[in-house]
Amino acid sequence: MKMVDWKFCHINLNLLSIKCHYFFFFGVAVDLVLLLKIKLTKANFSLHICQDIGKIFSSFETVAVACAVFIVGALTGLLWNYEFWFLQDLGATQSLMGLCIAVQCLVAEVPFFFFSGWLIKIFGHFYCIIGTFAAFALRLGLYYVLENPWLVLPIEVLHGITFGVFYASMTGYASDNAPPGTEATMMGILGGLYEGLGVATGSLLGGVGFDKLGGRQTFLIAAVVSLISILTLSLALLGHKKHPNKNETS
């Protein structure tokens, strides 16, 4: 049996660790230089932030967006925590899971983030969020029927809509609709509903679903929730346009 020189391996690992640290410090130095070149503008601050935020959430559309953000967060939490578990049950390799991340980031997120402004300009924030639910329904439905784990790669392109377009729509809505000085607070509230309460809820319910029903049935239920969300939000927005709130139109 061939003996392993553990001392030699330990030395190589130490050298690799040192190189990684140098690379990290180089990256930090580049970041600092770039930050020094950024010209910051003085931000506006609201003197009545609670009153302004309350006024925002008296709008029907804002409440609807907040509810949608929470549901999208729950669906996202389900995927973030249980997608790879599901793929592993199908026999996916670690390399395939790494490729999934690569497709999500490079093939999906980058182009959809780039074109998200154009999509929002055409359809508006609210309809882009509704489109997010449609993409979730399709993505989760495809997971439900998935047999060959390698076929997940083209499905991951939908991540560009379920994350890229959605995130741009959420932050854009907060920025465009918040009174001056409350933009950061508005983004914080929606971000908390998305990555805080929403993701936590999706993780919890997803765990219960995987434990009691299995992965396929859990994804199917999530797809149905997405379809119901499309119908509910569309009807609510349509009804609101026909019968607007007097407080909002005054």
Side-chain angles (χ1 to χ4, degrees), residues 62-103:
T62 301
V63 173
V65 167
C67 292
V69 166
F70 167 73
I71 298 171
V72 170
L75 296 172
T76 301
L78 172 64
L79 293 182
W80 282 358
N81 290 282
Y82 299 103
E83 178 187 352
F84 286 167
W85 191 351
F86 175 70
L87 292 176
Q88 190 174 34
D89 289 342
L90 293 180
T93 63
Q94 299 295 323
S95 298
L96 175 57
M97 295 179 191
L99 283 174
C100 285
I101 297 295
V103 171

Side-chain angles (χ1 to χ4, degrees), residues 173-189:
Y173 181 87
S175 178
D176 292 347
N177 291 274
T182 64
E183 295 89 349
T185 303
M186 182 72 170
M187 289 183 187
I189 292 172

Side-chain angles (χ1 to χ4, degrees), residues 20-172:
C20 288
H21 278 86
Y22 281 134
F23 183 77
F24 170 76
F25 288 125
F26 173 76
V28 171
V30 172
D31 281 343
L32 289 174
V33 172
L34 294 175
L35 287 172
L36 291 174
K37 296 293 183 180
I38 296 176
K39 294 182 179 180
L40 299 176
T41 57
K42 187 176 180 180
N44 295 321
F45 294 96
S46 173
L47 298 177
H48 309 285
I49 190 165
C50 293
Q51 182 179 348
D52 289 338
I53 293 296
K55 189 183 298 182
I56 296 170
F57 280 93
S58 66
S59 164
F60 172 84
E61 186 176 277
T62 301
V63 173
V65 167
C67 292
V69 166
F70 167 73
I71 298 171
V72 170
L75 296 172
T76 301
L78 172 64
L79 293 182
W80 282 358
N81 290 282
Y82 299 103
E83 178 187 352
F84 286 167
W85 191 351
F86 175 70
L87 292 176
Q88 190 174 34
D89 289 342
L90 293 180
T93 63
Q94 299 295 323
S95 298
L96 175 57
M97 295 179 191
L99 283 174
C100 285
I101 297 295
V103 171
Q104 289 178 4
C105 296
L106 299 177
V107 180
E109 285 185 21
V110 172
F112 276 99
F113 267 126
F114 184 80
F115 290 108
S116 61
W118 177 72
L119 292 171
I120 292 170
K121 186 177 180 180
I122 293 176
F123 300 106
H125 301 102
F126 201 88
Y127 286 108
C128 282
I129 292 175
I130 291 177
T132 297
F133 281 115
F136 262 117
L138 178 59
R139 185 178 179 183
L140 292 163
L142 290 173
Y143 288 155
Y144 171 70
V145 299
L146 185 66
E147 295 290 346
N148 185 345
W150 283 94
L151 293 179
V152 75
L153 293 178
I155 300 175
E156 296 306 279
V157 176
L158 291 169
H159 177 76
I161 302 175
T162 58
F163 180 75
V165 173
F166 166 76
Y167 207 87
S169 300
M170 179 186 72
T171 54

